[in-house]
Amino acid sequence: MSGSNAWSRSREKLRLFPELFAQCAAEATTYGKCVAATTKGRQELKKDMCAKEFEALKTCFTNAAKKKAK
């Protein structure tokens, strides 16, 4: 019963992802550049190295999803 409803919500969120991602292109680019710069060579990405950039991307996704829900 409720399991199928959970899958429906998950599919809906995934369906919206490209649109939300497009609205956050600048933040995604900034985060991606931080990750790429941090992991040059054989360096590993460590927790919180790009936390500021990730938070900006997360905030953008959250705001874009809220706008879409209205």
Side-chain angles (χ1 to χ4, degrees):
M1 284 196 281
S2 62
S4 64
N5 192 21
W7 282 110
S8 295
R9 286 192 310 265
S10 294
R11 270 188 251 128
E12 179 65 19
K13 287 178 184 179
L14 284 173
R15 187 184 64 75
L16 291 175
F17 184 78
E19 184 179 333
L20 299 178
F21 189 77
Q23 293 179 36
C24 299
E27 291 83 353
T29 299
T30 301
Y31 178 65
K33 285 181 180 179
C34 179
V35 170
T38 303
T39 57
K40 284 200 174 175
R42 296 192 180 266
Q43 293 177 329
E44 289 185 26
L45 182 63
K46 292 188 172 79
K47 184 178 180 183
D48 296 333
M49 290 185 101
C50 297
K52 180 180 75 169
E53 294 83 355
F54 178 77
E55 278 302 315
L57 179 57
K58 181 178 159 186
T59 299
C60 183
F61 274 131
T62 301
N63 292 337
K66 285 179 184 176
K67 286 180 197 173
K68 187 66 180 168
K70 288 183 178 181

